Amino acid sequence: MTAPRTTARIGGALCVLLTAAACTSGSGTAPTAPRAPQLSTTTPKATGPVDQVDWNLPMGEPTTLDPAKVGDYSPSTVEANLCDPLLRLNADYSVAPGLATSWKQRNPTTLVLGLRRGVRFWNGHTMTSKDVVASLKRQGERATQSVNASLLANVKSIEATGSHQVTVVFRAPDELFLKALVNGFGAVSEAAYLDKAKTSYGTAKGGLMCTGPFELTRWKPGDSITAERNPDYWDSALKPKVKSLNFRFITDTSTLTSALLSGQIDGSYEISTSTAKAAADSDTGTVYYGPSAQTNFLTATHPASPLADAHIAKALSLVLDRDALIKNVYNGAAQKLKTFIPPLVWQNSPASAAYDKAYEALPAVPAPDVNRAKKLVAQADTTKRTLTVAAAAGDQQSLQILTFLQAGAKQIGLKITIRQLQPTQMSGLFYDPSLREGLDATMVLGYVEIPDPLSYAAQMMTPGSLFNWSEYDNKQVTALMKKAQGTLDPAATASLFNQAQAKYVKDYPVLPIASPYERLFVNKRLSGLPASFAYLHMPWAAYLGGTGKGSS
């Protein structure tokens, strides 16, 4: 869902991000609307081979590469090149065959997957339906501690019905299951290796056994992860041009900027705004901005939090000038959001027009209005007026947003205390309740993994769901989303979701901030990789190759 992002502090006077009532610029005029950068889905096609690429993970070292547990930027960036999923996500967020070449809904509760033949694991063993069944079933086993376990809630059985056929039987129809096969949930590992590695699977000690374009060959904790080209990769169109892929863990923004501009590091996704600005005119490489399914928002961490009261959430929303924030914090590389789900998520759905129409009909992102915000605070059911909000230490973008929100909150009688957590704690709090103790809210630098808005909404607000920490319970919304998930017709699913969305935007306690565009820097000697956020669940390094410029 999320991860802390290390972002350098951006210049800009405090007053431009406070409400209009708080202060004005010296000229007395409001800041001009931010100008969005040109977006690219992919980078120019690569032309030649490369011996070694040094790539950075700005969120730090992964704690695991187990496909069942990768719910964060760093592990997913690596794992996507190692373990193929049953379905493949494309750079434009469309879905294509992966290790499954066909899928047929035999009836509303029976899904048949036809598996690709001739696929081998790195050790040379042939992939069969036994491996697929083992990989999917372990996602629901308690010992695995999978971040995807809820996706098996409607599954009755998963069985091999042929050497290259798997049949999934559901207790009730589930339109999300098939779409979820594009990420770690659908990744296939060798059954025998899983049985041997057990809980050490995906660690530096336990390793992996997958079918992807790169093979994990070395993990030196605290230093680097190395993956070597898989010469026998099944996809002839994606035979890797890069021989050796070396991942580093530079989290300090200034250090990473220097490493990229000097050529010490060849590239990085999720670069900070300051790195993007510093590298904009670089002779070393190119900065690309891409479409994104990322979403930044503030959410409550427990039901007694002041932010769990929708009045407080809406009041805080009214003390943020998002145009000024996007201009000064994101440097124009973000878009405003009416909810916490970015429109890219549904753009390749057969019902995309219906989703678009419903999104357009939602209330506009509010302009700053301190007086209205004060009235909402007065109407709040909670009497608490202090919020302790978590942000990752060193994540200057989140800290800056919270500082501006802190000043705006003060005007309407609220107090925000910022608590900085180490990156591993910040990432862990989304899955470990003990790490949320003493907090009232957290900054979420999240993303929608599955190309379906229902997947994210259901995790956030269905009673008992993984991220419904405020214990939001709108029975009409829950019923509509449950019915939408059980409806296999895309148009009907969209209609039901849109009805739920129109209701939850009125009372769901969340503070949408913005959807940042993907930011990528790549050395001039390299190209071919996707520039969109879809990279997180694509074998992006298999597209990477030389350009003939500089040393390769």
Side-chain angles (χ1 to χ4, degrees):
M1 172 188 176
T2 185
R5 188 202 319 262
T6 303
T7 312
R9 186 173 297 278
I10 311 303
L14 177 64
C15 67
V16 299
L17 289 178
L18 298 181
T19 66
C23 58
T24 58
S25 64
S27 63
T29 59
T32 57
R35 182 178 180 181
Q38 182 177 352
L39 302 185
S40 303
T41 301
T42 61
T43 60
K45 189 175 181 179
T47 57
V50 177
D51 285 337
Q52 180 174 319
V53 168
D54 290 293
W55 200 264
N56 193 57
L57 303 176
M59 314 307 180
E61 184 174 6
T63 57
T64 180
L65 293 176
D66 182 345
K69 300 178 182 179
V70 291
D72 217 332
Y73 289 88
S74 288
S76 292
T77 301
V78 180
E79 183 271 343
N81 295 288
L82 306 176
C83 301
D84 287 320
L86 290 162
L87 301 184
R88 180 178 285 171
L89 193 64
N90 293 322
D92 63 356
Y93 251 63
S94 62
V95 176
L99 293 180
T101 57
S102 66
W103 45 94
K104 182 179 180 181
Q105 201 74 46
R106 184 175 291 170
N107 58 55
T109 56
T110 305
L111 173 67
V112 180
L113 299 171
L115 306 181
R116 191 176 298 277
R117 294 177 181 273
V119 176
R120 295 184 181 277
F121 292 102
W122 302 325
N123 59 11
H125 298 168
T126 300
M127 183 198 78
T128 69
S129 54
K130 178 182 178 181
D131 303 298
V132 175
V133 170
S135 298
L136 288 173
K137 281 187 172 181
R138 74 180 289 265
Q139 299 268 356
E141 295 171 359
R142 185 180 296 273
T144 304
Q145 296 183 323
S146 171
V147 298
N148 307 304
S150 63
L151 290 166
L152 293 170
N154 290 322
V155 173
K156 182 178 181 181
S157 66
I158 304 173
E159 302 294 341
T161 47
S163 63
H164 286 79
Q165 185 185 84
V166 171
T167 299
V168 183
V169 177
F170 300 87
R171 297 183 182 88
D174 190 338
E175 68 97 24
L176 287 179
F177 181 91
L178 182 64
K179 297 173 184 176
L181 298 179
V182 300
N183 63 12
F185 176 66
V188 178
S189 302
E190 187 187 35
Y193 195 98
L194 286 171
D195 186 57
K196 182 179 179 180
K198 299 190 183 313
T199 57
S200 70
Y201 190 68
T203 66
K205 180 181 178 181
L208 293 167
M209 187 51 63
C210 294
T211 67
F214 289 88
E215 176 182 356
L216 177 65
T217 56
R218 180 172 175 267
W219 186 346
K220 185 178 180 181
D223 180 74
S224 62
I225 293 173
T226 301
E228 302 290 335
R229 176 172 58 201
N230 176 5
D232 301 317
Y233 189 49
W234 59 266
D235 190 344
S236 59
L238 278 183
K239 293 281 188 182
K241 297 179 178 65
V242 175
K243 184 177 180 181
S244 180
L245 185 60
N246 194 41
F247 293 97
R248 303 301 296 269
F249 321 129
I250 302 174
T251 58
D252 180 76
T253 299
S254 60
T255 303
L256 176 57
T257 302
S258 297
L260 290 170
L261 296 182
S262 68
Q264 179 185 352
I265 296 293
D266 289 306
S268 178
Y269 286 104
E270 311 308 331
I271 61 172
S272 70
T273 300
S274 65
T275 298
K277 291 173 72 174
D281 300 316
S282 169
D283 294 330
T284 306
T286 304
V287 175
Y288 292 93
Y289 293 91
S292 177
Q294 295 179 81
T295 173
N296 295 174
F297 58 92
L298 204 68
T299 189
T301 51
H302 60 89
S305 165
L307 195 65
D309 188 316
H311 293 93
I312 299 295
K314 291 182 183 297
L316 288 171
S317 182
L318 288 167
V319 297
L320 273 184
D321 185 334
R322 289 171 178 79
D323 282 336
L325 185 148
I326 288 173
K327 177 183 177 183
N328 290 279
V329 174
Y330 297 94
N331 197 35
Q335 62 178 329
K336 292 186 287 187
L337 288 179
K338 293 183 175 184
T339 73
F340 54 93
I341 301 177
L344 175 65
V345 173
W346 61 74
Q347 287 310 301
N348 276 288
S349 166
S352 60
Y355 286 115
D356 283 337
K357 184 177 180 180
Y359 184 80
E360 288 300 315
L362 295 176
V365 177
D369 189 335
V370 171
N371 291 330
R372 185 179 164 206
K374 288 180 177 178
K375 292 178 181 178
L376 285 168
V377 172
Q379 295 168 9
D381 294 327
T382 179
T383 57
K384 294 179 65 177
R385 295 293 183 264
T386 299
L387 294 88
T388 301
V389 183
D395 176 8
Q396 295 300 326
Q397 178 175 285
S398 290
L399 293 175
Q400 189 177 18
I401 292 170
L402 289 176
T403 298
F404 298 136
L405 187 62
Q406 192 176 48
K410 187 176 180 180
Q411 300 176 77
I412 58 174
L414 301 177
K415 180 181 178 181
I416 291 178
T417 300
I418 304 170
R419 181 178 296 178
Q420 298 185 47
L421 304 181
Q422 292 304 308
T424 53
Q425 291 178 299
M426 188 67 188
S427 179
L429 73 81
F430 291 89
Y431 304 101
D432 184 349
S434 69
L435 295 175
R436 298 194 291 272
E437 292 180 5
L439 299 172
D440 295 303
T442 184
M443 279 291 298
V444 176
L445 308 184
Y447 52 83
V448 185
E449 298 188 72
I450 301 171
D452 186 321
L454 179 63
S455 66
Y456 205 62
Q459 289 186 83
M460 297 292 293
M461 61 187 68
T462 302
S465 59
L466 185 60
F467 302 119
N468 186 6
W469 305 326
S470 66
E471 298 183 6
Y472 174 82
D473 187 4
N474 182 318
K475 289 179 172 50
Q476 288 182 312
V477 169
T478 301
L480 285 165
M481 290 200 297
K482 183 177 180 180
K483 189 174 181 181
Q485 187 170 349
T487 303
L488 301 180
D489 175 65
T493 296
S495 176
L496 290 163
F497 171 79
N498 290 335
Q499 292 176 56
Q501 179 181 242
K503 294 181 182 296
Y504 73 65
V505 295
K506 298 177 181 179
D507 67 348
Y508 180 59
V510 66
L511 172 53
I513 296 171
S515 174
Y517 299 128
E518 180 54 47
R519 291 187 295 260
L520 160 71
F521 179 88
V522 61
N523 191 283
K524 65 182 179 182
R525 74 187 186 99
L526 302 170
S527 194
L529 70 172
S532 78
F533 185 72
Y535 83 88
L536 203 67
H537 297 301
M538 291 176 62
W540 57 267
Y543 295 83
L544 188 62
T547 61
K549 301 176 182 178
S551 175
S552 61

